[in-house]
Amino acid sequence: MGTVSAVRMETFLAVAKHSSIRRAAAQLHITEAAASAAVAHIEKQLGAKLIAKSGRGIALTEAGRVYADYCRSILGLMKEAHAAVREAETGKLRIGVVATAGEYVLLRLLASFRNRYPDIELGLSIQPRDVLFVELSHHETDLVVAGRPPRDTTLVTRARRPSQLVVVGAPGSWSDPAEATWLLRGKGSGTRETTLALFDRLQIRPPTLTLGTHGAALAAAREGLGVTLIHTDAIENDVSDGFLDILTVDGTPLSRPWHAVTTRTPTPAARLFLSHITDPERVGDKAFRCP
């Protein structure tokens, strides 16, 4: 069975409305022959008679009435989809992101997205994970890129990108990471919580130094002030340039993928962004994967 175009569906609906090929053609500004051919084409595709002579005019058959209902639904959905796309491409997208993902994962994705959809107004909120998910729950942002969302919420993970947490320190500074000073993020950080959980697993209580941001922790690790647990996305250049070493610590590396999260009803712009970041042909190795 072939497909029926939206134009032919609209022509059929006009014929159904007016019970006349002539009046339908006049409404659509086409010839009567074109209107009649459109209806005949649909009947041939469906293998059913949709119209029949009735007095001086025409009327829908039972099959015609059923098909008209479907045409109205299909064309209505198409118009709704077109409106949503237009809104998405000219609307506003508010993204919340944790600092590490913002600096090392999201920026390239945002750049290519802006080049593709220049009329979308972008807003960015860089906050600890816990704050971001509260903002998303309150509809203060449209999409969050962070670690796993809290359990028992109405938030939905739409896509993931693999990442690992490893322990790093300045080369030659710490022969035993368990005895090193551990550099921590501020409260509300998912990485901080994971680090403290790692202490429990290893049954250690090392000295700690809270530096707040991942950038400060990373800079302190380069200077030999301590070791820190951090995403591999953030240390590629430092490791290759010899400023940091990945240290062997039981229980690491830890798999901690990035999550792209929305509410249950994502905005059109958020859907467009999700489609963009899950397309490896457009964003390369930074692409997320649908769960």
Side-chain angles (χ1 to χ4, degrees):
M1 180 183 294
T3 58
V4 176
S5 70
V7 172
R8 288 194 174 106
M9 288 185 192
E10 289 173 346
T11 302
F12 172 69
L13 286 179
V15 171
K17 175 183 177 182
H18 294 290
S19 299
S20 165
I21 295 287
R22 180 178 57 81
R23 287 196 293 270
Q27 175 193 319
L28 299 172
H29 305 289
I30 60 176
T31 65
E32 290 184 38
S36 181
V39 175
H41 176 86
I42 297 173
E43 290 181 325
K44 182 178 180 181
Q45 292 294 323
L46 297 177
K49 291 293 292 181
L50 302 180
I51 61 174
K53 289 184 178 180
S54 177
R56 295 184 178 181
I58 57 175
L60 296 180
T61 64
E62 181 60 28
R65 284 190 286 273
V66 171
Y67 189 66
D69 285 341
Y70 276 100
C71 285
R72 292 188 185 99
S73 296
I74 292 168
L75 293 174
L77 285 171
M78 291 177 66
K79 290 177 181 177
E80 185 178 306
H82 294 163
V85 169
R86 286 194 296 272
E87 179 185 344
E89 294 186 2
T90 58
K92 183 175 182 178
L93 176 60
R94 302 165 301 173
I95 298 177
V97 62
V98 294
T100 306
E103 186 171 350
Y104 298 101
V105 177
L106 195 64
L107 288 183
R108 186 192 299 181
L109 299 175
L110 281 177
S112 58
F113 182 76
R114 167 157 279 180
N115 288 337
R116 188 177 178 187
Y117 302 106
D119 293 330
I120 292 181
E121 180 184 348
L122 294 176
L124 201 62
S125 174
I126 300 176
Q127 302 281 1
R129 186 197 66 161
D130 291 353
V131 174
L132 291 174
F133 288 129
V134 170
E135 289 182 346
L136 183 59
S137 296
H138 292 166
H139 300 277
E140 294 168 350
T141 57
D142 303 313
L143 180 144
V144 162
V145 177
R148 186 177 63 187
R151 300 181 187 275
D152 302 323
T153 69
T154 59
L155 306 180
V156 180
T157 296
R158 305 290 178 179
R160 296 185 182 92
R161 181 182 180 276
S163 186
Q164 292 183 323
L165 285 170
V166 295
V167 180
V168 297
S173 296
W174 306 100
S175 58
D176 184 358
E179 297 179 357
T181 297
W182 285 67
L183 309 169
L184 302 179
R185 313 301 186 279
K187 291 183 179 180
S189 162
T191 304
R192 177 191 177 93
E193 293 175 4
T194 303
T195 303
L196 298 178
L198 182 62
F199 293 168
D200 291 337
R201 187 184 311 171
L202 298 176
Q203 296 184 331
I204 60 174
R205 286 293 178 267
T208 62
L209 177 61
T210 297
L211 294 170
T213 67
H214 86 279
L218 200 55
R222 289 191 204 102
E223 298 299 325
L225 286 177
V227 301
T228 192
L229 188 70
I230 196 164
H231 279 273
T232 49
D233 295 288
I235 59 166
E236 291 175 356
N237 291 337
D238 282 319
V239 171
S240 62
D241 292 341
F243 296 124
L244 290 172
D245 281 343
I246 297 176
L247 307 178
T248 301
V249 175
D250 288 345
T252 64
L254 294 164
S255 175
R256 289 296 185 273
W258 299 116
H259 294 63
V261 184
T262 71
T263 62
R264 289 179 179 173
T265 54
T267 64
R271 290 182 184 275
L272 208 60
F273 184 72
L274 287 166
S275 177
H276 179 75
I277 68 174
T278 54
D279 185 351
E281 292 187 3
R282 290 189 177 273
V283 300
D285 63 357
K286 297 296 184 184
F288 281 62
R289 303 170 187 169
C290 296

